[in-house]
Amino acid sequence: MAMANVGDLNDGRRHVKLHHEHVSNVSSTDYPGVYPGEDHSWDLQRFKEKLVVQVQRLSEKSIELDLVGVDASIANALRRILMSEVPSIAIENVYVWNNTSVIHDEVFAHRVGLIPLAVDPRLLNMKVAEETPTDKDTIVFKLDVTCKHRPKAPRGETDPEKLYINSNVYSRDLVWAPAGDQTTVFAEFPPRPSNDNILLAKLRPGQTLEMELHANKGIGMTHAKWSPVATATYRLLPHIVIRKPIPSQLCEKFQKCFSPGVIEVKEKSKGEKEVVVANPRLESMSREVYRHSEFDGMVELTRIRDFFLFSIESTGAYPPQDLLPESIRLMREKVRTLKRAAEALKQAPNEDEEMEA
């Protein structure tokens, strides 16, 4: 995908420099983007011009995107909110009616609690712990599986799947039991596990699992089972600067110093060769090129400090393209809360004035 207008990548102020054995220029200024002797007063229009959000890859469960023009504190805040404060649905209470398997009730309850559920959290309210569950705040699943001998199983067969019925209990065995108007609310996307093939237990003839499972809305800060992302990471865009032409006979060696696809070797006139940086985002920044003295002074490895390559994998509660907007929405709520607190503090009477009065 073509890169959007992300400013001058050769601007030294934006570079985090990688040397042989250390990294320099790692710290931003006390006020990111503000430099002494220059006017960097806040301007919304200028911020909009510098801000770039571009999707590089989107699939059913994951998204890779570029976030450009913000400080690391903002990017990291969005990442942390994604993991710990964007709500999702997970099984919280397990009511065991019958369990004759080899797995203890508590262990099995822990296992099913970690099953990612494909339920839109925006359609459910947070449940207050002391209150009775309702169709507005609780999703109910039922599990009723009994293992039996399979009729006419081949003699001498050792595969449990062919010998028995229900020898394995999978997440797909959870059956949603709608209550109230949930059939209408969840008509388009009925609640279900995100992955149908999660193994929960192994049974043998005569063993039974029968239970009722209540799923509630929560956040990852309370327990990791409520985190809506499997991974939420970012890294800075690698930037490779070729300071001097690479000798033709060393082009292939130079190419092998980088991850595959980063450097291309092109033919010039008269059989000469040259190298070009084809796709720097593939580079792992191993600094292998610094180990070879013949390339001293020819190349500089940097990263762009305000160019973040985000990789987000959804557990299934949200489409991956909705996760970052949800994180931004929560951050805006935090800012509004802080603003109201600051305004209230400003309007509060001064304690010194009260004492003097």
Side-chain angles (χ1 to χ4, degrees):
M1 183 178 291
M3 189 178 292
N5 181 20
V6 295
D8 182 13
L9 297 183
N10 292 315
D11 181 0
R13 287 177 170 178
R14 301 177 70 186
H15 290 178
V16 176
K17 298 183 179 180
L18 284 76
H19 304 278
H20 290 71
E21 296 181 357
H22 72 284
V23 181
S24 66
N25 203 26
V26 295
S27 300
S28 181
T29 56
D30 290 340
Y31 300 92
V34 177
Y35 298 91
E38 301 178 13
D39 181 15
H40 291 283
S41 54
W42 169 255
D43 183 86
L44 179 59
Q45 185 59 36
R46 184 166 56 189
F47 175 76
K48 287 182 177 180
E49 292 172 357
K50 290 185 176 181
L51 180 65
V52 175
V53 180
Q54 184 176 25
V55 175
Q56 295 294 334
R57 185 186 63 83
L58 176 63
S59 68
E60 184 181 352
K61 288 293 182 68
S62 64
I63 184 172
E64 292 180 1
L65 58 90
D66 298 342
L67 177 63
V68 188
V70 299
D71 187 65
S73 58
I74 301 298
N76 195 45
L78 292 173
R79 182 189 68 86
R80 291 174 64 90
I81 291 172
L82 269 174
M83 294 190 298
S84 62
E85 296 187 55
V86 174
S88 69
I89 308 298
I91 293 170
E92 172 67 355
N93 295 303
V94 178
Y95 300 93
V96 181
W97 310 134
N98 190 12
N99 176 12
T100 56
S101 72
V102 297
I103 302 180
H104 293 289
D105 295 350
E106 296 83 359
V107 176
F108 190 82
H110 183 265
R111 288 179 67 84
V112 296
L114 295 174
I115 298 174
L117 301 177
V119 183
D120 190 342
R122 293 165 288 195
L123 301 178
L124 218 60
N125 299 329
M126 285 282 192
K127 182 183 177 299
V128 179
E130 297 78 14
E131 294 184 357
T132 303
T134 70
D135 61 309
K136 303 297 182 184
D137 57 30
T138 302
I139 299 289
V140 177
F141 292 94
K142 293 191 176 180
L143 179 66
D144 188 358
V145 180
T146 299
C147 182
K148 301 177 181 179
H149 285 282
R150 187 179 298 278
K152 299 181 181 179
R155 184 181 296 273
E157 181 61 61
T158 58
D159 185 357
E161 291 280 357
K162 297 178 181 179
L163 281 174
Y164 315 122
I165 299 173
N166 295 330
S167 61
N168 293 330
V169 180
Y170 293 98
S171 54
R172 58 175 173 265
D173 294 318
L174 299 182
V175 179
W176 172 46
D181 61 353
Q182 288 182 349
T183 304
T184 303
V185 173
F186 296 100
E188 188 174 358
F189 298 105
R192 61 175 183 81
S194 297
N195 188 329
D196 289 336
N197 299 315
I198 300 174
L199 180 65
L200 302 179
K202 289 180 176 289
L203 301 181
R204 289 299 177 262
Q207 294 181 342
T208 296
L209 281 171
E210 183 184 359
M211 55 192 67
E212 186 174 297
L213 309 101
H214 290 195
N216 302 125
K217 186 175 182 178
I219 59 175
M221 187 183 299
T222 305
H223 193 287
K225 67 183 179 182
W226 277 302
S227 181
V229 294
T231 58
T233 64
Y234 65 76
R235 59 191 180 98
L236 298 180
L237 176 72
H239 183 58
I240 302 166
V241 183
I242 298 178
R243 296 296 185 188
K244 298 178 182 178
I246 307 300
S248 181
Q249 69 274 15
L250 295 177
C251 285
E252 278 79 9
K253 183 176 182 179
F254 184 82
Q255 182 186 40
K256 292 178 181 178
C257 291
F258 298 87
S259 301
V262 175
I263 301 294
E264 283 187 5
V265 178
K266 293 189 174 181
E267 296 286 342
K268 294 172 63 178
S269 59
K270 300 180 181 179
E272 293 293 312
K273 299 178 182 179
E274 66 175 351
V275 297
V276 295
V277 180
N279 192 352
R281 68 176 60 235
L282 297 177
E283 174 55 24
S284 64
M285 284 301 187
S286 65
R287 292 182 272 192
E288 171 68 19
V289 70
Y290 286 160
R291 296 180 63 247
H292 304 277
S293 58
E294 56 266 42
F295 299 127
D296 286 351
M298 293 184 178
V299 63
E300 183 180 19
L301 303 181
T302 68
R303 288 185 183 270
I304 308 301
R305 73 167 67 253
D306 63 348
F307 197 129
F308 301 92
L309 309 181
F310 263 87
S311 178
I312 304 171
E313 182 181 353
S314 173
T315 59
Y318 295 87
Q321 65 270 21
D322 290 354
L323 284 165
L324 187 63
E326 279 294 310
S327 181
I328 294 172
R329 181 184 64 81
L330 288 170
M331 179 182 280
R332 288 168 60 89
E333 287 183 5
K334 289 175 176 287
V335 172
R336 283 193 289 268
T337 301
L338 183 61
K339 182 180 178 181
R340 287 194 296 268
E343 290 174 348
L345 187 63
K346 184 178 180 181
Q347 294 171 3
N350 190 300
E351 293 183 2
D352 293 338
E353 293 179 357
E354 288 183 350
M355 292 177 64
E356 290 176 1

